[in-house]
Amino acid sequence: MTTPLPAPAFLPLDVALDAPRPSSPIAAYLLVDASGARLVAGLSFSNDATPVPTDQPVRQVWLDPGGEIDNFVARAQPAGKVRYLAVAVTGALEGPGAFGPDGIFGYRLHPQTIMPLPWQETTVAFLAMTPATGQAVRLTGALIASQHEAVLVEALGPGGAPTPQARQVKLRAPLRDAALLSDLTTTPGGAVRYGMVQVEGIWRDGMLTPMGVRNVER
């Protein structure tokens, strides 16, 4: 049985970077590799065993080592050559600028609080009926994606079309995960790709902002 989605509301990292002063906890993946720890808005899980950021370093947030950061780095899940953990953070966000090793990262955050991001397991049908106030959600559905837009639907019929009466939710922006898209089925002509996926993201402003999308048909 699906239960109501919980508070508090979270702000996706890519939205927070464009906000003058983010007032809600920021949702992101903590990514740890040889360069150190940083926050990224999204990860691609379709690149062999190592998750890869979907944004360039200028849209990533450097975290200076020490204190609570070190504790969460130790808790991050190993995956290939990196470690990662979905987190919610508050703090003073600096940038755009040049931060971290060789100044390659565009932002820096001095955390005030940090906690694991509390995913709510849900469904496309339930989400479509739920007010979008920044909930962190995980759900499985059928992805239909083109160059300009993407939606998640309950079920697909032949040829990648939604089944009659299938409910759907819109993704906030076209997917930037080229590796995932290449794993999906392509319609004749190649304009649309589709397949069953699991999405982790933030349900806000009537749209789903995906942080991580995994192909469940591989």
Side-chain angles (χ1 to χ4, degrees), residues 103-114:
I104 66 171
F105 301 113
Y107 295 84
R108 177 168 61 186
L109 182 77
H110 298 285
Q112 293 176 342
T113 65
I114 181 168

Side-chain angles (χ1 to χ4, degrees), residues 10 32 42 49 57 93-94 114 121 169 172 180 185 195 211 216-217:
F10 301 104
V32 186
L93 187 62
E94 298 180 47
I114 181 168
E121 303 287 345
V169 294
R172 187 171 64 86
L180 169 78
T185 302
M211 293 170 53
V216 299
E217 295 181 333

